[in-house]
Amino acid sequence: MPRRTKAEAEATREALLDAAEDVFLEKGVSRTSLEHIARHAGMTRGAVYWHFKNKADLFHAMLDRVKMPLQQIIDDITAERQASGPLNTLRLATLHAFEMLERPRSCRVHTILMHRCEFISDINPVELQNRLASDCREVVRRCFQQAHDEGLLIDEIAPDVATLMLHSMIGGLVHDWLRAPDSFSLRESGGEAIDSLFQLITRSARS
Amino acid sequence: MPRRTKAEAEATREALLDAAEDVFLEKGVSRTSLEHIARHAGMTRGAVYWHFKNKADLFHAMLDRVKMPLQQIIDDITAERQASGPLNTLRLATLHAFEMLERPRSCRVHTILMHRCEFISDINPVELQNRLASDCREVVRRCFQQAHDEGLLIDEIAPDVATLMLHSMIGGLVHDWLRAPDSFSLRESGGEAIDSLFQLITRSARS
DNA sequence: ACACGCATACATACATGAATGTAAATGCCA
DNA sequence: TGGCATTTACATTCATGTATGTATGCGTGT
């Protein structure tokens, strides 16, 4: 029974993307065929090829439904640069990214990106994440530099080192948590670790 | 021209594994066929099927030629628990793992593991890394606990939090560096970040 | 209000290519 | 000469892309 209403067509498109998330998460991207996805959504491959050009197109459509955590951090930092100082801006942006990641769809999609796929067509997530990481590091670095200039950072830590510490901690926490979300709480334990880092490198807190 | 001497047969086995590293690294595991690997080594698929049962078997043989960095850290910690205190043991073990990772073969294989493969047969690297991460965290935690009991750790940081901080920093640094080895030096910049962390959480250094 | 026509939203069928596993053939060393 | 290392050839499976079929929603004219 083809040709539903326009709203129903959009619903099946979303259903196909939902199914893609499920199957990608379970079997990995390269091992799932479009047939798998279609059947999991209760349809056939024809529906997939109607809504999407091919597997890569579907994959990118799936990515478009979520926001990259590093992009979120970049946006948060550049948006509210006043707040209560650069260090607090960094800390809050990080915690905000953690909150976003705990949303089910975000969690699934980013787990797929980090642990369930290697390449997709010619645009691979490694390069994508690479650019994002580079941009994010630069924004964070400028923030730490500003904190340093305002005397908020302790002398023992150079802005570049603080940048690497924060950036690697974020990446490591996200990576580990997405691999095993039940092993610890990203918001609680992860947030605690981030808070501790900022407590350690903030001058006023240690005198 | 088949049937060289036994030593030459072993050499072709190694050549096949070398080729596998190259091609996996370039195209990703799922997108490389055994034909690709064989041709890159100057042979045919038959040679591959003689030395290895299938792709998964070859993959695991490739893994067996290197040591997991987290396993290295575990071994280092459990081996030389005397050294100059638990904190220094942790620090040196981490830096040692970084050194190991900069060896070409280690670098290639672990890049493949982190960024070029999703699943391989029924044994997937995610589960493998998961167990390792869990074990390593436990060993590190015990080490931090000992440091805490000996009064080496500052009061602001609980052993569990220190564990998560160190573990996530290691994971993040390795992850980022393997994705873009030219963006920074793991030994230098990464080591500096690790050193700074230990400097921040060590009591004697701040009074 | 109702029939008409067309574009839409799928399902089905088919052709192609690629990767796999295996069996047979072949040469080389001991 | 016989078993080892490797190639070649073949059958099978599987995913893809495309082409075609088809029924329905929806706008249009009257």
Side-chain angles (χ1 to χ4, degrees):
Chain A
M1 42 298 191
R3 187 64 218 275
R4 319 288 185 72
T5 176
K6 184 169 278 188
E8 283 176 309
E10 182 59 24
T12 67
R13 190 191 126 101
E14 295 294 312
L16 287 172
L17 290 176
D18 289 345
E21 289 182 11
D22 288 345
V23 188
F24 282 160
L25 194 59
E26 185 192 338
K27 314 188 50 167
V29 174
S30 67
R31 293 172 66 90
T32 76
S33 65
L34 297 182
E35 174 89 17
H36 291 144
I37 295 173
R39 303 286 277 225
H40 193 265
M43 323 225 158
T44 66
R45 240 161 19 107
V48 175
Y49 276 100
W50 173 254
H51 287 283
F52 310 98
K53 189 184 168 195
N54 50 29
K55 194 172 173 180
D57 187 39
L58 183 147
F59 186 82
H60 285 105
M62 184 189 75
L63 285 191
D64 284 342
R65 300 203 299 177
V66 300
K67 188 164 191 176
M68 299 291 129
L70 291 186
Q71 185 62 54
Q72 182 68 52
I73 290 179
I74 292 176
D75 293 350
D76 277 13
I77 293 178
T78 55
E80 32 180 338
R81 194 162 253 228
Q82 65 290 3
S84 48
L87 291 186
N88 221 32
T89 298
L90 281 174
R91 195 176 63 87
L92 294 178
T94 302
L95 299 182
H96 186 212
F98 286 176
E99 284 174 28
M100 305 281 297
L101 259 179
E102 286 200 339
R103 273 127 86 141
R105 172 165 297 169
S106 240
C107 177
R108 267 175 306 188
V109 172
H110 289 106
T111 302
I112 291 169
L113 254 181
M114 294 208 88
H115 300 298
R116 300 289 193 278
C117 81
E118 49 200 45
F119 284 118
I120 188 69
S121 107
D122 43 5
I123 294 181
N124 62 336
V126 173
E127 289 302 325
L128 182 143
Q129 295 290 89
N130 215 344
R131 264 199 302 272
L132 257 182
S134 178
D135 292 352
C136 183
R137 252 206 302 256
E138 181 54 25
V139 173
V140 170
R141 204 195 61 76
R142 274 204 285 264
C143 225
F144 272 125
Q145 182 65 51
Q146 183 185 346
H148 173 79
D149 295 344
E150 296 178 7
L152 301 171
L153 217 55
I154 63 174
D155 294 332
E156 289 89 342
I157 301 294
D160 284 352
V161 177
T163 302
L164 196 56
M165 291 178 75
L166 176 61
H167 193 268
S168 62
M169 266 190 58
I170 293 174
L173 284 169
V174 169
H175 187 265
D176 282 5
W177 181 74
L178 286 179
R179 191 175 47 203
D182 296 330
S183 68
F184 65 95
S185 161
L186 187 61
R187 273 223 285 260
E188 294 173 25
S189 301
E192 195 179 5
I194 294 292
D195 284 346
S196 296
L197 178 66
F198 278 102
Q199 187 187 346
L200 287 174
I201 64 177
T202 301
R203 162 165 285 145
S204 58
R206 321 203 89 264
S207 65
Chain B
M1 41 298 197
R3 186 60 218 277
R4 318 287 185 71
T5 174
K6 183 170 274 188
E8 282 175 309
E10 182 60 23
T12 68
R13 191 191 126 101
E14 296 294 312
L16 287 172
L17 290 176
D18 289 345
E21 290 183 9
D22 288 345
V23 188
F24 282 159
L25 193 59
E26 186 193 338
K27 314 188 48 167
V29 173
S30 67
R31 292 171 67 90
T32 76
S33 66
L34 298 181
E35 174 88 17
H36 291 144
I37 295 174
R39 301 286 277 226
H40 192 265
M43 324 227 157
T44 66
R45 232 157 30 94
V48 175
Y49 275 102
W50 174 255
H51 288 283
F52 310 98
K53 189 184 168 195
N54 50 30
K55 193 172 173 179
D57 187 40
L58 182 148
F59 185 83
H60 285 106
M62 184 190 75
L63 284 191
D64 285 342
R65 299 204 299 179
V66 300
K67 188 165 192 175
M68 299 291 128
L70 290 185
Q71 186 62 55
Q72 182 68 52
I73 291 179
I74 293 175
D75 293 349
D76 276 13
I77 293 178
T78 55
E80 31 180 339
R81 195 162 254 230
Q82 66 290 1
S84 46
L87 291 186
N88 221 32
T89 299
L90 282 174
R91 196 177 61 88
L92 293 178
T94 301
L95 299 182
H96 186 211
F98 286 177
E99 285 174 28
M100 305 281 297
L101 259 179
E102 286 200 338
R103 273 126 87 140
R105 172 165 298 168
S106 240
C107 177
R108 265 174 308 190
V109 172
H110 288 106
T111 302
I112 292 168
L113 253 182
M114 295 208 87
H115 299 298
R116 300 290 192 278
C117 81
E118 49 199 44
F119 284 120
I120 188 68
S121 108
D122 43 6
I123 295 180
N124 62 336
V126 174
E127 289 302 325
L128 182 143
Q129 294 289 88
N130 216 344
R131 265 199 301 274
L132 256 182
S134 179
D135 292 351
C136 183
R137 252 206 302 257
E138 182 53 25
V139 173
V140 169
R141 205 196 59 78
R142 274 204 286 264
C143 225
F144 272 126
Q145 183 65 52
Q146 183 185 345
H148 174 78
D149 294 344
E150 295 178 7
L152 301 172
L153 216 57
I154 62 175
D155 293 333
E156 289 89 341
I157 302 295
D160 284 351
V161 177
T163 301
L164 196 56
M165 291 179 75
L166 176 61
H167 193 268
S168 62
M169 265 190 60
I170 293 174
L173 284 169
V174 169
H175 188 265
D176 282 4
W177 181 75
L178 287 178
R179 191 175 47 204
D182 295 331
S183 69
F184 65 95
S185 161
L186 187 61
R187 271 222 287 261
E188 294 172 25
S189 301
E192 194 179 5
I194 295 293
D195 285 346
S196 296
L197 177 66
F198 278 102
Q199 187 188 345
L200 287 173
I201 65 176
T202 301
R203 160 164 286 145
S204 58
R206 321 204 88 263
S207 63

